[in-house]
């Protein structure tokens, strides 16, 4: 009797194991490769639609001056797409407006990890790091920003400021001189 139950159980398992393979065969899916499975595509479409909605909501909240709510929305969006540098940049932006510079620096660091050649992200990272008195790291970020966006005076001014805060007057003067060659009429 134990042998019969074992054979019956094995038969049931065999049927159960082969049914999903039959249902997921290329014939059952209309000759679609597994990566283009309709269910998978539908889930991706829903995720993208949710992400678009969150990003629109975040932008609207920023425009309305609702920065705390915008930060929460950008965090939710980052959970859906952790490889999107613009999401982390948006989060960094609102955190900086809220004067949460440590959180801003963390968000900009993630943006920079994803897009290391973006001068604006490097500048924003440098600015946030300077605000939390991480001058050495800010100096590095500002240096990268000046190399990536050499015509933008803001990274030069930020770099000169953090060099002064580190008592590197000669370095700061050198950077100010370079900034003057880029924008001789700049008010700052």
């Amino acid at each position: 009797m134990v042998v019969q139950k074992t054979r019956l159980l094995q038969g049931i398992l065999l049927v159960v194991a082969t049914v999903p393979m039959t249902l997921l065969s290329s014939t059952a899916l209309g000759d679609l490769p597994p990566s283009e499975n309709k269910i998978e595509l539908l889930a991706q479409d829903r995720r993208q639609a949710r992400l678009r909605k969150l990003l629109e909501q975040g932008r609207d909240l920023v425009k309305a001056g609702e920065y705390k709510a915008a930060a929460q929305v950008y965090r939710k969006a980052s959970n859906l797409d952790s490889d999107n540098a613009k999401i982390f940049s948006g989060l960094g932006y609102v955190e900086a407006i809220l004067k949460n510079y440590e959180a801003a620096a963390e968000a900009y660091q993630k943006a920079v990890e994803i897009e290391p050649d973006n001068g604006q992200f490097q500048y924003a990272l440098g600015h946030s790091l300077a605000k939390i008195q991480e001058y050495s790291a800010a100096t590095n970020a500002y240096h990268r920003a000046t190399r990536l966006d050499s015509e933008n005076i803001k990274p030069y001014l930020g770099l000169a400021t953090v060099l002064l805060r580190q008592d590197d007057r000669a370095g700061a003067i050198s950077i100010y001189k370079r900034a003057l060659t880029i924008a001789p009429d700049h008010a700052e």
Side-chain angles (χ1 to χ4, degrees):
M1 186 148 129
V2 173
V3 172
Q4 287 178 337
K5 286 184 181 180
T6 303
R7 285 188 184 155
L8 179 63
L9 185 58
Q10 287 173 343
I12 292 171
L13 288 175
L14 180 63
V15 171
V16 170
T18 58
V19 169
M21 289 173 30
T22 305
L23 292 176
L24 292 177
S25 71
S26 62
T27 306
L29 293 174
D31 294 320
L32 287 176
S35 65
E36 293 182 14
N37 183 318
K38 290 179 184 179
I39 296 170
E40 194 175 302
L41 290 174
L42 182 60
Q44 287 175 357
D45 287 346
R46 285 183 182 159
R47 189 174 142 263
Q48 288 300 320
R50 174 127 170 81
L51 183 60
R52 271 193 304 278
K53 184 179 177 183
L54 286 170
L55 294 175
E56 288 172 13
Q57 184 182 6
R59 280 189 291 270
D60 291 345
L61 289 165
V62 168
K63 286 180 186 176
E66 298 290 331
Y67 301 117
K68 285 183 181 180
Q72 291 174 342
V73 167
Y74 283 125
R75 276 190 210 91
K76 286 180 187 176
S78 73
N79 289 331
L80 288 176
D81 188 355
S82 62
D83 293 326
N84 188 324
K86 290 185 169 118
I87 293 172
F88 290 104
S89 175
L91 178 58
Y93 174 77
V94 295
E95 292 291 7
I97 288 174
L98 293 167
K99 298 187 184 330
N100 296 332
Y101 295 111
E102 193 166 321
E106 288 175 18
Y108 282 124
Q109 182 61 48
K110 287 180 184 174
V112 163
E113 288 170 8
I114 298 165
E115 281 187 38
D117 294 334
N118 186 312
Q120 292 177 338
F121 295 169
Q122 294 284 356
Y123 167 75
L125 174 60
H127 177 76
S128 298
L129 290 167
K131 289 292 192 177
I132 58 173
Q133 300 178 359
E134 294 286 338
Y135 298 130
S136 180
T139 299
N140 292 333
Y142 281 137
H143 270 297
R144 287 188 300 270
T146 61
R147 284 192 298 274
L148 293 168
D149 194 4
S150 61
E151 297 301 312
N152 184 355
I153 193 168
K154 288 181 179 182
Y156 291 97
L157 297 175
L159 177 56
T161 301
V162 295
L163 289 173
L164 276 175
R165 290 183 180 159
Q166 296 175 90
D167 292 325
D168 183 356
R169 288 174 177 72
I173 289 170
S174 173
I175 296 299
Y176 279 131
K177 285 180 181 177
R178 200 171 338 157
L180 284 173
T181 64
I182 295 167
D185 297 329
H186 195 271
E188 288 182 59

